[in-house]
């Protein structure tokens, strides 16, 4: 039996020109969230993955370090959530696993992090996280967000990672609802639609 010894993913072809054409500033949490939500909406529009988008940004310079969209169904990797993709690509570009080495880095995601992404945040080096839609919005669309401690925000804050939720929540939740209304794949092992 031959073992698979590589694992990789590539962002959809529409993403790079879309981000290159994004001319709105990225100075505020709302402006940054607008890009994350737009990435999620484009991912749904192009049928290239789930309704989630994320960016990694250097806070003081507003320099975009990485972008991601949910690629779970596109590349058949359960860990290919938008946050994980954005952080991985930012780490690859920086050549270091610690994104916060010498700079303040923020993760902006169109939805509250699931259990997996929450767990990855402290190890990535980001110093703050901002999200749009809440767990309830994702679960209303059919997604399983996993088990997180009730005090998950406080646990990040104790580690020096600031948190802010509900930024452009209505807009982000609309992307989730639109995806669900179009019978987009809801991926988790025990999903009620019987999809894989």
């Amino acid at each position: 039996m031959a073992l698979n010894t590589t694992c990789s993913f590539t962002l959809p072809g529409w993403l790079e020109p879309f981000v290159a054409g994004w001319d709105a500033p990225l100075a505020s949490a709302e402006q940054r969230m607008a890009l994350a939500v737009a990435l999620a909406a484009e991912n749904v529009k192009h049928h290239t993955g789930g309704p989630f988008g994320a960016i990694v940004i250097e806070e003081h310079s507003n320099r975009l370090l990485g972008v991601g969209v949910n690629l779970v169904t596109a590349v058949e990797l359960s860990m290919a959530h938008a946050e994980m993709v954005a952080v991985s690509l930012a780490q690859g570009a920086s050549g270091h696993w610690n994104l916060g080495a010498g700079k303040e880095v923020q993760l902006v995601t169109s939805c509250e992090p699931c259990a997996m992404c929450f767990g990855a945040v402290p190890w990535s080096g980001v110093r703050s996280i901002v999200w749009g839609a809440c767990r309830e919005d994702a679960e209303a669309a059919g997604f399983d967000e996993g088990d997180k401690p009730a005090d998950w925000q406080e646990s990040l804050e104790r580690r020096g990672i600031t948190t802010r939720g509900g930024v452009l929540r209505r807009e982000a939740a609309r992307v989730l609802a639109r995806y669900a209304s179009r019978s987009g794949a809801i991926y988790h092992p025990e999903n009620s639609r019987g999809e894989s």
Side-chain angles (χ1 to χ4, degrees):
M1 177 173 141
L3 293 176
N4 181 10
T5 59
T6 63
C7 179
S8 66
F9 53 81
T10 302
L11 291 173
W14 61 262
L15 196 142
E16 190 172 4
F18 181 82
V19 172
W22 189 266
D23 58 2
L26 297 172
S28 70
E30 291 75 16
Q31 291 167 335
R32 294 169 183 179
M33 185 60 68
L35 176 55
V37 171
L39 288 168
E42 287 295 305
N43 208 35
V44 172
K45 175 182 167 185
H46 291 281
H47 305 285
T48 48
F52 304 94
I55 66 171
V56 175
I57 195 157
E58 188 174 39
E59 290 197 68
H60 300 299
S61 69
N62 303 322
R63 185 168 64 100
L64 195 59
L65 303 175
V67 298
V69 291
N70 182 286
L71 299 173
V72 170
T73 58
V75 299
E76 299 296 336
L77 291 173
S78 62
M79 63 162 275
H81 288 200
E83 300 95 325
M84 304 293 277
V85 170
V87 165
S88 296
L89 291 173
Q91 289 170 331
S94 73
H96 201 284
W97 63 268
N98 182 0
L99 291 172
K103 56 185 172 266
E104 296 288 315
V105 176
Q106 183 176 76
L107 172 63
V108 180
T109 175
S110 66
C111 189
E112 176 182 327
C114 69
M116 175 178 66
C117 296
F118 156 70
V121 167
W123 312 125
S124 68
V126 300
R127 303 310 304 156
S128 68
I129 181 170
V130 177
W131 66 93
C134 295
R135 175 187 191 117
E136 295 79 15
D137 303 317
E139 290 177 345
F143 289 97
D144 178 356
E145 295 299 280
D147 296 328
K148 290 188 298 196
D151 69 340
W152 69 274
Q153 286 180 257
E154 292 83 358
S155 73
L156 291 177
E157 297 274 352
R158 285 192 298 272
R159 290 174 172 264
I161 301 167
T162 61
T163 66
R164 180 177 172 198
V167 176
L168 302 185
R169 179 181 179 183
R170 186 177 313 133
E171 293 86 341
R174 258 197 303 265
V175 176
L176 293 166
R178 187 176 320 120
Y179 181 80
S181 73
R182 294 178 181 173
S183 299
I186 306 296
Y187 36 85
H188 53 81
E190 299 170 3
N191 75 53
S192 59
R193 295 183 187 173
E195 299 160 349
S196 57

